[in-house]
Amino acid sequence: MTPSDVRAKRLLLAAVCLGLLMPQIDLSVINLALPSVRASLGTGAAGMQWVLDAYNLAFASMLLTGGTLGDLFGRRRVFLIGLAIFTGGSVVCGLAHSLAALVAGRALQGLGAAIELPGTLSILTVAYTEAHERAHALGIWAAMSGLAMALGPTAGALMLDRLGWPSIFFLNLPVGVTTLVLTLTAVPESASPEGRRLDLPGQILAAVCLGGLTYAVIQSHSMGWASPVILGCLSMSAAGFAAFLAVERRTPGPMVNLAVFRHAPFSASLGVATLMTFGIYGQMLITSVYLQTILGMSPLLAGLGMLPDTIGFLGTSVLTGRLAARYGARALMAGGMALTGVGVLIAAWATGVRAYWPMGAGLGVIGVGLGLNTGPLMSVAIGSVPASRSGMASGLVNAGRMVGATLGVAVLGTIAASHAGAAGSGLAMLPAGMGRALAVGGIGELVAALLALLFVGSAVGRRDAAAGQVETNPRARAGGTGYAVEGAQSADA
């Protein structure tokens, strides 16, 4: 490889990582900003919930569409469109003088993220064809989540303290422009439209299914699960899911090739991704509230207080490629999720102690667990399909992550709040509710560890598979039975 080729790939990797970093930072800092936004706009708890969930609803409804559009019409083109929408939505948020404007801007951000985030993985998968190069690139990609966890709470809290909450959205403007320029300069266009077409019925039914479920979860706290509106949304989501499966089975060029779910490592990775974000996003929200409300920390101190998570993640994630090649992805995924679950349970116990040190210890364990799991998880998931369908796989995994995050924030947040409300003692009982909510999240992480242990083959992850080397299962080519990761044909796969 010539020096110019090396430089081009580094610029491509920088563009993709910035495209991932921008929405990740936004998600990690928004919880810290909510008290300031509430005071500035004079809104209540319901309004603040919509500041979070307008993003989630738009993101979940359109996520599968974003991955498929990239495969069909050009990954770079769709990535650029998503970046532009996200950056524009950030400007709308920063200029907002009303709750309605802020919620609209957040919805635009969610739409833009849904379109551009699947492209970050599919562009990498197509660009890095060598196994060891792809492993290195995916390791750096995964580390961006840890970097976002570091930059978001710390830089975001500092900006909140000095410049006010609009500044956290304006920060996305220079980052977005830089990413757009890098993408135009260094990312070649690629697409895989062969034998496919725009699956409009599938797109619509996927949005109905994910959107109905997300809206029901969002509104369940205020309306109650027995509300006709909530039951109607859940029924609509279930009907949409059934219709989606029927349409995708019969469509010549489906948005989602259902055969991929016959491959146990991919399905397990999807389940692990969903349970991972269920516990972690709920934990992030509860920890932020705990540090500021119960321990009385300022937003800046609360941001610094969450650094053990980041340090653990970054310190571990740089070693995962080497560890996966030696021990396999199953060991790292199962061990990482087990550690994450233990860390969340430590955080649950810490809420009763009302001191920072046990919470900090729990956060450190969580970071190490996530660092072990994230890279191998994405390698197994993306490595389970051919590169031509990487956008589809990325969209599915990110859809699972988003559904898990939305459920985690809603369910764990409801457990924490309802316990305090039922006790009738306000903040006095809130730590107990937080502890119970975090215990539920920790159990979810342990279930994810069990999924990885049972359904990700022991050979997956060593050298080729962990590095993302992919081949189509010959039996799938002959008989249409699905895709496989190289090395996953062992008895325990």
Side-chain angles (χ1 to χ4, degrees), residues 407-422:
L407 288 171
V409 169
V411 173
L412 301 190
T414 299
I415 292 172
S418 62
H419 188 279

Side-chain angles (χ1 to χ4, degrees), residues 255-268:
M255 179 175 67
V256 175
N257 189 328
L258 298 179
V260 72
F261 293 104
R262 298 174 188 171
H263 186 48
F266 178 82
S267 297

